[in-house]
Amino acid sequence: MIAQADIGMLDGLERALINGRLHMVYQPKISLSDGRLRRVEALVRWDDPELGTIPPSRFVPLAEKHGLIDQMTQWGLRTTLRQWLSWVEQGIDTCLAFNISALSLDQLDFPDLVERMCTALDVPTDRLVLELTEGATQPLIKLMDTLTRFRIKGIGLAIDDFGVGYSTLMQLRQLPFTELKIDRFFVEDAPTSADSALIVKSIIELAHGLGLTVTAEGVETEDQLKLLRDLGCDVAQGYFVAQPLKPEDLIPWLDRFEERWHMIIGEQPQLPLRIPRRYMG
Ligand code: C2E
Ligand code: CA
Ligand code: CA
């Protein structure tokens, strides 16, 4: 039976989708070797005039359970692809990371739909990485066909929350992932706990052995960032680098981060972090 509070929220979410009350924010992911912007992760937000601010951890599972997730995913992806075009016009040609519910992967034609959306908006598919989390009821290995279709189309695949979920490195060997995101649980303790640091180091080494790019999530301190860099982690994401940003705040953040990066790492700037590139699409 559906709880009364859930009914109110579900109605509110349907209204929010219809009335355009959801919006996306974007969190930068930077390269730990040189501080450059590698991607931005799109995260959905819902500020409701009646219900207040509702976190995605609350309403995404509700949308999944009650059949609104496809509508939400398509709206979010379209919004994010349009935003990419706007950044390209401003000289920033970065990759996009977008969270996909494992439920959407049940549909074999989903990769075609995503490709059509990219084509319609003139966004090259290699600028898109989909972030997936393995759930208890939905082993990713069962979705091999769908995952392979994405890769054939040039779309990247990241395994999210690695280390706390159900995925193992053994499984990853069989799946066509391009990136592994270490959960922030391990990142948090790494500078103070030898065990956590060892786990992070081992995940990085094994993931590299499988040819995956490794991202650390939830980087909140300078110590964490420096340790991850020393351990050979490729990409960092977290509040220490940047909070999730409104689209118009990305370029001002990038301009400030360039100076900050050189102060953190203690190197003299060689090249500007932001090299404007022309859109070749
Ligand atoms: P996630 O994919 O693991 O996203 C990372 C979450 O960590 C985001 O929370 C982000 O704001 C937060 N975060 C980033 N840096 C830090 C940090 O340094 N410290 C801490 N403590 N947290 C940090 P958010 O935006 O509340 O999203 C929560 C989850 O909701 C996401 O986890 C993702 O699973 C889901 N989600 C968010 N947006 C979407 C979406 O558009 N579609 C789908 N299907 N799921 C989404
Ligand atoms: Ca994610
Ligand atoms: Ca995560």
Side-chain angles (χ1 to χ4, degrees):
M1 208 177 66
I2 172 163
Q4 198 61 41
D6 282 359
I7 296 177
M9 198 171 287
L10 207 54
D11 285 348
L13 184 58
E14 256 183 317
R15 278 199 307 273
L17 272 164
I18 293 166
N19 300 329
R21 285 213 197 102
L22 299 182
H23 66 278
M24 302 303 289
V25 289
Y26 302 89
Q27 189 175 35
K29 299 166 82 173
I30 54 124
S31 162
L32 279 166
S33 62
D34 57 13
R36 280 172 202 275
L37 179 67
R38 281 286 284 267
R39 321 194 190 304
V40 289
E41 178 174 357
L43 297 158
V44 64
R45 292 289 178 265
W46 176 19
D47 300 315
D48 192 86
E50 283 156 36
L51 302 167
T53 298
I54 300 149
S57 55
R58 178 85 177 86
F59 68 85
V60 171
L62 205 67
E64 286 177 336
K65 199 164 153 199
H66 298 286
L68 286 179
I69 193 68
D70 287 342
Q71 201 184 336
M72 207 184 87
T73 302
Q74 286 178 37
W75 167 83
L77 187 55
R78 200 169 292 118
T79 304
T80 301
L81 296 174
R82 286 207 184 105
Q83 185 54 54
W84 183 86
L85 286 175
S86 159
W87 282 324
V88 165
E89 279 163 13
Q90 297 170 72
I92 307 289
D93 180 357
T94 187
C95 281
L96 299 167
F98 190 83
N99 292 286
I100 296 282
S101 158
L103 287 182
S104 306
L105 301 172
D106 261 351
Q107 305 147 38
L108 263 185
D109 58 353
F110 186 57
D112 288 334
L113 176 71
V114 173
E115 185 183 43
R116 277 202 304 275
M117 286 170 80
C118 289
T119 309
L121 289 166
D122 217 6
V123 180
T125 48
D126 66 1
R127 301 301 199 284
L128 183 62
V129 178
L130 303 179
E131 297 197 358
L132 316 170
T133 313
E134 182 144 49
T137 53
Q138 193 77 326
L140 290 171
I141 197 84
K142 287 203 174 161
L143 305 170
M144 182 69 131
D145 281 355
T146 317
L147 299 182
T148 306
R149 283 172 195 224
F150 277 120
R151 288 299 300 125
I152 290 169
K153 294 176 190 303
I155 294 168
L157 297 173
I159 181 88
D160 211 341
D161 304 334
F162 188 82
V164 296
Y166 295 85
S167 309
T168 60
L169 280 163
M170 194 58 195
Q171 265 175 301
L172 284 191
R173 206 167 57 90
Q174 298 162 301
L175 292 164
F177 279 95
T178 51
E179 177 180 341
L180 177 152
K181 296 187 75 179
I182 304 178
D183 192 82
R184 68 167 180 264
F185 175 82
F186 297 107
V187 172
E188 197 179 342
D189 288 351
T192 49
S193 149
D195 286 351
S196 289
L198 186 62
I199 292 173
V200 170
K201 184 171 182 278
S202 311
I203 295 176
I204 293 169
E205 283 169 4
L206 289 164
H208 280 166
L210 296 173
L212 302 171
T213 299
V214 183
T215 297
E217 292 193 292
V219 179
E220 293 183 348
T221 68
E222 186 170 333
D223 284 352
Q224 290 167 345
L225 184 128
K226 285 183 167 163
L227 176 67
L228 290 159
R229 185 173 135 100
D230 290 347
L231 294 177
C233 186
D234 305 298
V235 177
Q237 175 179 13
Y239 297 160
F240 181 71
V241 175
Q243 297 271 340
L245 303 169
K246 287 188 273 179
E248 64 274 23
D249 291 339
L250 181 72
I251 293 176
W253 167 82
L254 202 48
D255 291 337
R256 285 194 308 274
F257 186 73
E258 180 167 346
E259 198 174 318
R260 231 184 108 209
W261 172 259
H262 295 300
M263 281 179 43
I264 299 163
I265 300 304
E267 283 171 0
Q268 288 304 310
Q270 304 284 323
L271 284 168
L273 296 186
R274 169 148 69 104
I275 300 178
R277 271 194 277 161
R278 282 166 66 89
Y279 173 42
M280 310 294 284

